[in-house]
Amino acid sequence: MERQVRDCGGPMTAGLRSGAGATSRRQKQRGLPAALTLLTLLTCCVRCAESAKPSNIILILADDQDFQLGGMTPMKKTKALIGDAGATFVNAFTVTPLCCPSRSSILTGQYPHNHEVRNNSLMGNCSSPLWQKGPETAAFPIYLNKQKYQTFFAGKYLNQYGKKDAGDVGHIPPGWDQWHALVGNSQYYNYTLSVNGKEEKHGDSYEKDYLTDLITNRSIHFLDDRSPQHPFFLMLSPPAPHSPWTAAPQYQKEFSDVKAPRDGSFDKPGKDKHWLLRQPINPMPNSSLTFLDNAYRKRWQTLLSVDDMVEKLVKKLDSIKELDNTYIFYTSDNGYHTGQFSLPIDKRQLYEFDIRIPLMVRGPGIKPNQTLQAPVLNIDLAPTILDISGLNLSSVNVDGQSFLSQMAPSLRNGSARPFFLVEYTGEGHPTTDPACPKLGPGLSQCFPDCVCEDAYNNTYACVRTLDKEHNLQYCEFADSESFVEVYNLTSDPHQLENIVKKVDPAVLQAMNQRLIKLQSCVGDSCRDYK
């Protein structure tokens, strides 16, 4: 007991002992109750400090779930259990609208120009040996592990993960205690997992293999088997609502009357936009409309299992008395489109439907039913999670900033960013797509009726200004035209009119300079908004 008190009280208890030795017996008796009270308080101090532990954290990362086109509509349980119980961010963005570079940004807290993952290919650095030797060694789970967090991953990691040229299934990224990662891109059945570095093949049995449910069940087992003495971090990455849009059997008849929304920029010509937006057939043929409506409906169907995942996790946390000490983040890697500017289905574009993402968080210190306007990026997830863990953020190299102050002002002070960067490097094939011979080489993602969603020169960088006075987007393309697109989203929320020829040249110059600065920023300079 004396050692414990000395640890907590230090010089105070030493003074108490020497003072007691110098007093009379009567003074000792008179001082005894006070000394015992102090000893009791100091002992409690130690025991309370020993029992207190950092908050647990769960990150649920959907795949291709849009925010702009109703992507959260099917998720009633998630909105009630996370959004209504905490904060909903209505201005959350990805810094790049494609799976692998976006997920790499989430893991590192860095813009793509710093982690150098450009697209979904191995040549584009997706889960490449270069990624594994560099940015992956500084991803946020490593710091959580050092903070004594028990870490668990299940689901899609990076698109090229587990391939032979990317280290095969034996590669386990550092920082993870339990690893259940999908090999390759999203699937619901007939896939391979790396389970702690060992290959595990799955078939087409709903009960045993449906990936969203498997992720849920294994996360529940992890919570059962964890050590109660240490906090935990779970990252759950279901395939939904990514193609091939395979819903669980019980949900395959849901939303039978649902179609993709026909408002905003749906089936509008991209006449004043980058050439890739000028090539779709307009108006869209019925074959494309049928295709995108089916995709839209099936995407919603797959999300119902993710909604169940959230409900089961919340119930489990409640049953093990950890719900009130757990932050739960729900978000997606990028947005999506279904028919906007006559593009059938995909992401990869600079427009709001592809760069806006859902983001909801509940947890200690977050008041319920908050709708927050502050712009938040996916590069902010890593610093926010590390901030919650108690890590000193000055010790990590991130471009993003913690948004704990936005959702829990009682815990942190901070300010919102007024502008940010969105960047993307286009993908293409060196040869002509045999299904679309008239289009020539350099394109990719050619969907129904030979409408291509990507190309080598669909490479752009944008600065997005979002504060009380300005709601602007300025984008430059790396192509032979040096094409520029500018939108005032206050007067034109659907980005129907490129106003580059109407804007004051001084404004264009200022935006250009801001973009140049952001494209070369690293760490602190990415948060310099002067």
Side-chain angles (χ1 to χ4, degrees), residues 129-142:
L130 189 63
W131 154 265
Q132 292 170 11
K133 292 174 184 175
E136 193 174 63
T137 64
F140 76 82
I142 294 167

Side-chain angles (χ1 to χ4, degrees), residues 17 27 92 123 148 243 303 386 395 405 417 442 466 474 492:
R17 285 195 300 275
Q27 286 173 317
M123 292 291 290
K148 306 300 183 185
S243 61
L303 284 168
L386 293 177
S395 65
S405 62
R417 60 164 56 80
L466 187 57
Y474 172 93
D492 180 20

Side-chain angles (χ1 to χ4, degrees), residues 145-375:
N145 210 240
K146 290 178 180 177
Q147 295 280 92
K148 306 300 183 185
Y149 272 76
Q150 303 162 86
T151 55
F152 172 91
F153 180 90
K156 175 178 170 178
Y157 181 58
L158 301 173
N159 296 54
Q160 299 297 325
Y161 172 77
K163 304 291 182 67
K164 288 186 178 180
D165 292 339
D168 220 327
V169 296
H171 173 67
I172 304 173
W176 298 103
D177 297 321
Q178 289 290 319
W179 182 250
H180 301 256
L182 178 67
V183 173
N185 204 2
S186 286
Q187 293 289 325
Y188 298 80
Y189 295 109
N190 300 305
Y191 54 84
T192 299
L193 293 180
S194 169
V195 178
N196 299 320
K198 303 293 184 184
E199 183 180 80
E200 182 180 282
K201 289 189 175 293
H202 284 265
D204 56 6
S205 165
Y206 171 69
E207 289 75 15
K208 293 189 297 183
D209 303 314
Y210 191 70
L211 184 54
T212 304
D213 291 357
L214 180 143
I215 292 167
T216 305
N217 295 335
R218 293 197 179 179
S219 66
I220 299 294
H221 289 316
F222 174 80
L223 292 173
D224 283 333
D225 296 341
R226 83 200 191 286
S227 166
Q229 280 74 41
H230 297 289
F232 55 80
F233 170 72
L234 282 70
M235 184 169 176
L236 310 180
S237 188
H242 196 285
S243 61
W245 315 304
T246 310
Q250 66 270 28
Y251 295 135
Q252 289 180 0
K253 294 183 180 179
E254 296 293 322
F255 310 120
S256 58
D257 296 330
V258 168
K259 291 184 177 182
R262 263 45 175 182
D263 56 352
S265 58
F266 184 86
D267 205 12
K268 293 286 195 301
K271 59 182 184 304
D272 55 3
K273 292 173 169 50
H274 181 236
W275 77 269
L276 196 63
L277 274 290
R278 301 195 296 265
Q279 51 95 28
I281 302 167
N282 181 270
M284 301 176 78
N286 287 335
S287 53
S288 287
L289 293 171
T290 300
F291 179 79
L292 67 88
D293 280 335
N294 285 336
Y296 190 90
R297 181 174 60 255
K298 289 177 180 179
R299 283 164 53 80
W300 276 21
Q301 292 170 350
T302 66
L303 284 168
L304 293 175
S305 293
V306 183
D307 209 31
D308 291 342
M309 170 192 286
V310 171
E311 181 184 43
K312 289 174 183 176
L313 274 170
V314 169
K315 286 183 176 178
K316 183 63 179 178
L317 292 169
D318 193 35
S319 72
I320 61 176
K321 305 293 191 290
E322 293 285 2
L323 182 59
D324 292 339
N325 191 39
T326 302
Y327 288 88
I328 307 176
F329 293 72
Y330 185 92
T331 190
S332 173
D333 51 4
N334 48 256
Y336 206 71
H337 58 258
T338 47
Q340 283 60 47
F341 297 118
S342 302
L343 295 171
I345 59 157
D346 202 42
K347 50 266 184 178
R348 307 166 197 262
Q349 307 304 328
L350 57 89
Y351 309 103
E352 297 284 281
F353 41 74
D354 283 0
I355 64 173
R356 281 185 178 267
I357 53 175
L359 176 61
M360 299 181 296
V361 193
R362 68 172 288 170
I366 303 177
K367 293 180 180 179
N369 291 306
Q370 293 186 77
T371 301
L372 300 179
Q373 303 290 333

